[in-house]
Amino acid sequence: MRATGWNPREHAARLVSIITDGWRGEIVTPLIPRDPTSPLRSALLNERAQRLSELRTLDFRVYDTVRLEESGSGDAYRIIDRFKVATGIERPA
C-alpha cells in the first residue's frame, strides 16, 4: 500500500461549500482550528478568501458574516458568509 501525503489546501477546497439559488446563497467554511499555526486553518481561510473574491467578480456581494462556535471541544469554529446578487442587476420575474 502506498502512503499519500496530506495536502491542507486540497482538503480545504473540499470542505468549503457554496450553496446558492443563483441570486443569493451562503459560503460555509467549517471546522476552522483556533490554533494560528495550523496549516488547515490557513488553507481554509485562504480558500474562503478566494471564494469571496470570485463572488465579487461575478457581481455578488456579502451582506452578512456569522461566526459560529463548534460544539464539543471548542477548538474549532465555522464562518458562514451570506451573499446576494449586487444591486442594479435585474432578477427575472
Side-chain angles (χ1 to χ4, degrees):
M1 187 186 318
R2 192 170 122 192
T4 59
W6 182 75
N7 184 328
R9 176 77 174 123
E10 290 175 6
H11 189 62
R14 287 190 303 268
L15 288 176
V16 176
S17 64
I18 296 181
I19 304 158
T20 183
D21 66 2
W23 300 102
R24 63 184 174 272
E26 297 179 340
I27 296 177
V28 180
T29 309
L31 303 172
I32 303 168
R34 291 188 188 285
D35 178 7
T37 62
S38 167
L40 180 57
R41 174 191 169 93
S42 179
L44 283 167
L45 294 176
N46 286 337
E47 182 68 21
R48 174 180 171 258
Q50 181 178 344
R51 303 270 179 109
L52 290 170
S53 178
E54 291 169 359
L55 284 175
R56 283 187 213 93
T57 302
L58 297 171
D59 290 325
F60 286 94
R61 68 176 182 87
V62 173
Y63 67 89
D64 188 27
T65 298
V66 179
R67 177 179 163 149
L68 300 172
E69 302 300 320
E70 292 289 336
S71 60
S73 67
D75 291 338
Y77 61 95
R78 82 177 55 211
I79 297 175
I80 299 174
D81 297 289
R82 294 184 179 99
F83 61 89
K84 63 182 176 180
V85 71
T87 307
I89 297 176
E90 294 297 317
R91 181 178 178 173

